[in-house]
Amino acid sequence: MNLFLAMMSHETNTFSNVPTDRAQFEAHDLRYGGEIIETYRGTGTCLGGMIEAAERCGAVLLPSVAAAASPAGLVTRDIYQHVKDRLLSDLAVAGRLDGVLLDLHGAMVPEGLDDGEGDLIAAVRRAVGPSVPIAVTLDFHGNLTQAMVEGADLLHGYKTYPHVDMAERGVEAGARLAEVIAGRLRPTAAFRKPPLLPPLGSQGTARGPMRRLYDLAEEMEKDPAVISISIFAGFPLADIPEAGLGIYVVTNDDPALAESLAERLSRLSWEHRREFTHTALPVPDAVAAALAADGRPIVLADMADNTGGGAAGDGTEILRELLRVRARSAVVACLWDPAAVAACVKAGVGSRITLDVGGKVDGRHGAPLTVTGVVRTLSDGRFIHKGPMMRGLPGRLGPTAVLDVDDVKVILTTHRKQALDPEMIRFVGIDPLEEKILVIKSTIHYRAAFEPIAKEIIEVDAPGLSSSNLERFAFTRVRRPIFPLDPEATYP
Ligand SMILES: [Zn+2]
């Protein structure tokens, strides 16, 4: 059995002015051929799961291209076309193929296209023809579209946020694809897009409305006629017509069942739409609450400055307040500021310097902050994920400095990356358990690894492009009416 394998992953925040160009992919991940297998085998990723499934059933994998970049603004035409061309040229010389495995995101917006994944899947479908099955994994934040559903035989969305089931979904996609190839499954899919745009902060699957939906989906999946159900919370900050919640049900040769289950889940999501509203504490209140809390560490979640949601990662408002109230024993993980890192490198470890940090990308994450501190450590920014997400996968923050400003330790990085793993604090020589306050720039993902170690978690409503307060954004393209932008929207 010959299986073609490729990955392209990007979550595009169309409100961001940071273009996602080739350099952003090179800084994160841009690999070809056999290197993909070497890098991802055994990791907690979709590719890791796909490789495991393929090897389990003795398939021959034909790895093509793997491209991923930190969420930011539109993916430039140049890099999108490069990856697509590479994928199609590898397909053209692949010889006889039995199936295709694609690890995609679902909320990628290349320049001039609303639906990057729909376009990629359609291109692969044209290349392989109607009879070669295509199985695709998609992020929980994918904005499901008709083109994705029509182009692929199987879609497998992550069922968790934090995304701790990526490898599981990869295994599932590989195993189901093998069954389709063997003629044991005949996928028939249905999907629904209720007029619902859940903010990121209320999308967690541990509790709340997404848990309710997945509890019902798990019951439905016990029916052997159901192959898989994916409920995509969607990525609200990709301002495209099809942004928002999406429900996908794939059954074995039973289209009527798929339709009825999808409709039932869609109606349930709508009935509980008000549970998707989210509130967080203003910055001064949140910092005061952290200082007053017992024990350590107390996590201040900077939800709106999550690079994993396309925010700059250089927001200063919580740091500004920590310094204003003279907080001690605090860490900011992490602040993206290559110029500040360069200044620290130039000064050297142990030097006392004054510089501007953060607030440099746009006017939406607070103004730059002038600080004086001591360069505590410098590193090359390489670490290994050790938490429940992406365990085993190497991470690269680029040259990284820790600036100690009166015991508020600011981790300054050269690459943009969400602080979702305590290892991103440990590898620079700081023990997160010993600190009073951890400012974590992440919306939900940090919970997988930080909930078990945090004495308390406080969600902060600081400014930023991954804010769950959707009133902060001027939407122009998403279909209307849609809840909660239009509170009186009705179910179609
Ligand atoms: Zn996601």
Side-chain angles (χ1 to χ4, degrees), residues 11 105 139-142 158 161 163 308 445:
E11 185 173 271
H105 186 287
D139 192 280
F140 177 88
H141 293 108
Y158 314 163
Y161 184 28
H163 306 332
H445 280 332

Side-chain angles (χ1 to χ4, degrees), residues 365-388:
H365 299 81
L369 185 59
T370 305
V371 296
T372 299
V374 174
V375 180
R376 183 182 154 114
T377 53
L378 296 171
S379 86
D380 65 1
R382 289 175 181 271
F383 71 100
I384 306 284
H385 291 85
K386 292 182 179 164

Side-chain angles (χ1 to χ4, degrees), residues 387-458:
M389 285 183 64
M390 295 179 280
R391 195 192 303 272
L393 193 69
R396 289 181 294 165
L397 299 172
T400 296
V402 179
L403 188 70
D404 191 333
V405 187
D406 297 330
D407 206 19
V408 176
K409 297 169 269 300
V410 185
I411 303 174
L412 298 162
T413 68
T414 300
H415 299 333
R416 292 171 64 248
K417 197 165 187 332
Q418 179 176 184
L420 50 74
D421 195 314
E423 195 58 23
M424 291 169 70
I425 299 173
R426 279 193 213 106
F427 92 104
V428 289
I430 300 170
D431 180 355
L433 297 175
E434 293 297 320
E435 301 292 329
K436 174 71 186 177
I437 295 176
L438 306 176
V439 178
I440 305 295
K441 291 182 179 290
S442 172
T443 308
I444 300 278
H445 280 332
Y446 70 95
R447 286 184 177 273
F450 284 93
E451 250 177 11
I453 64 168
K455 273 285 176 301
E456 193 177 327
I457 287 174
I458 299 168

